Amino acid sequence: MRNSFLNAITECARQDERVALLMAEVGFSVVEPFEKEFPNRFYNTGIAEQNLVATSAGMAVAGMRPIAYSMSSFLATRAFEQIKVSVCYQNVPVILISTGSGLSYGEMGSTHHAIEESDILRSLPNLKVAFPSDGYELSETIKYALSQDSPFFISFPKMPDPKLPEHEFSFGHLTNFTEGDKAVIFAVGTAVSDAINAADILKTAGIDIAVRGINCVKPLNANDIVAAAASGNVFVVDEHVKCGSVGSDIARILLENNVKINIFKEISIPDTFVDSVGKYAELKKLYGLDGDSIAETVRNSLKK
């Protein structure tokens, strides 16, 4: 997905001389082509995420369109005050892009997991928060963000581009991946890939479920969520901690709109530090976030 990131920002920089890339000593082997083509619009602030965000905010105030790029586990937490005060409070068009969302830095351990990223950032006014499901959505989200005059946070995992079915993309709207009347899975970002896998497994057992991808977790599209929950059996798959989760927001939307719910279950990470070290796929399985585990959770829930 990092190639999609590079191609998108390079294309945008060719079309708009205000676009600049700032990074905090990360992205080597990825960002060099941008640096070579736009040496006067590339900045390395060093391992100092607060400076990265504050500098980007200053450039935005001066009329530039800065893209601040760093690792998910550090950008949202270490620079939270600067994102809050310098970017969101002033409502300036800084595009914050992070790589390594969720558990995707699995073998690096708890310090590199970004399982609280969504919860932290959704608390900030004026900030749109996006988790694209694949490289295509990542590219389109970046282009959309640069067309708007407001702050954005875009996060994607450190992983190859998942091979999803061709699909239409509209920022802020749910994406329809599979259809079914037994239940719906709302899947955030690249969890879409595992949700589709689960839907395929369930289909072989005669259980047809809908998969709806959520590319934008703030703001959530209430109309789309209500329409998708018509079956009354709702599952949310999100590679973040359950406390303050997207699932909580979806539940609130459904309750406020008087949607009759038979089953509501969130598949996410409990209130714990992930102290296991392992490959990304192993950690997803540990927390029931892989396709086989999601299918089993849905099947068992529907039986009850």
Side-chain angles (χ1 to χ4, degrees):
M1 291 184 74
R2 288 183 294 183
N3 289 335
S4 298
F5 158 72
L6 174 67
N7 293 338
I9 63 173
T10 300
E11 179 183 343
C12 292
R14 288 169 181 161
Q15 297 174 358
D16 187 344
E17 62 182 12
R18 299 176 302 163
V19 174
L21 174 63
L22 298 87
M23 62 93 151
E25 200 71 21
V26 299
F28 296 110
S29 79
V30 176
V31 299
E32 285 87 349
F34 187 98
E35 178 184 14
K36 182 177 180 180
E37 186 168 349
F38 308 104
N40 295 324
R41 286 190 271 159
F42 176 83
Y43 304 89
N44 182 358
T45 65
I47 306 175
E49 286 78 12
Q50 293 103 327
N51 291 345
L52 171 73
V53 175
T55 302
S56 298
M59 292 173 67
V61 170
M64 295 291 287
R65 294 307 309 267
I67 297 169
Y69 176 62
S70 189
M71 291 173 60
S72 299
S73 53
F74 305 131
L75 185 57
T77 52
R78 192 170 293 167
F80 179 79
E81 183 180 4
Q82 285 71 29
I83 296 173
K84 172 186 174 182
V85 177
S86 299
V87 176
C88 296
Y89 181 72
Q90 297 188 87
N91 200 22
V92 292
V94 174
I95 312 302
L96 302 150
I97 302 183
S98 73
T99 183
S101 62
L103 300 166
S104 60
Y105 270 106
E107 293 171 303
M108 302 295 286
S110 280
T111 57
H112 284 59
H113 296 147
I115 57 176
E116 64 289 301
E117 184 181 38
S118 174
D119 302 9
I120 290 172
L121 292 163
R122 284 175 22 254
S123 69
L124 293 176
N126 296 328
L127 186 66
K128 294 180 175 65
V129 183
F131 290 90
S133 66
D134 64 2
Y136 159 64
E137 289 192 4
L138 174 59
S139 298
E140 293 302 306
T141 301
I142 291 171
K143 295 172 187 176
Y144 178 81
L146 285 168
S147 74
Q148 305 297 301
D149 193 30
S150 59
F152 275 75
F153 194 102
I154 305 167
S155 183
F156 63 95
K158 183 180 180 291
M159 61 178 287
D161 195 353
K163 303 302 179 185
L164 300 181
E166 288 190 13
H167 57 279
E168 294 183 3
F169 172 78
S170 178
F171 183 81
H173 287 276
L174 300 185
T175 305
N176 299 351
F177 285 98
T178 70
E179 299 298 334
D181 59 359
K182 294 292 191 296
V184 61
I185 295 178
F186 294 111
V188 177
T190 51
V192 163
S193 178
D194 294 293
I196 292 174
N197 185 15
D200 291 340
I201 293 169
L202 291 165
K203 191 174 183 66
T204 64
I207 304 171
D208 292 329
I209 63 171
V211 173
R212 298 291 181 263
I214 300 178
N215 57 71
C216 176
V217 296
K218 186 181 180 182
L220 285 169
N221 191 306
N223 291 334
D224 285 4
I225 289 170
V226 169
S231 69
N233 299 322
V234 176
F235 299 84
V236 181
V237 181
D238 186 14
E239 202 175 307
H240 288 93
V241 289
K242 189 170 292 186
C243 180
S245 65
V246 170
S248 301
D249 284 351
I250 290 174
R252 175 179 49 78
I253 288 170
L254 296 176
L255 285 170
E256 288 177 347
N257 287 276
N258 299 311
V259 178
K260 183 180 178 181
I261 299 299
N262 305 310
I263 298 170
F264 185 95
K265 189 168 187 63
E266 182 178 0
I267 304 169
S268 56
I269 299 169
D271 183 19
T272 184
F273 285 106
V274 179
D275 54 9
S276 298
V277 177
K279 295 184 183 301
Y280 184 35
E282 294 171 345
L283 294 180
K284 286 199 294 184
K285 187 172 183 62
L286 177 65
Y287 291 104
L289 291 160
D290 63 300
D292 288 335
S293 299
I294 295 168
E296 183 178 1
T297 296
V298 173
R299 185 189 297 110
N300 291 340
S301 298
L302 291 176
K303 282 181 180 179
K304 294 178 182 179

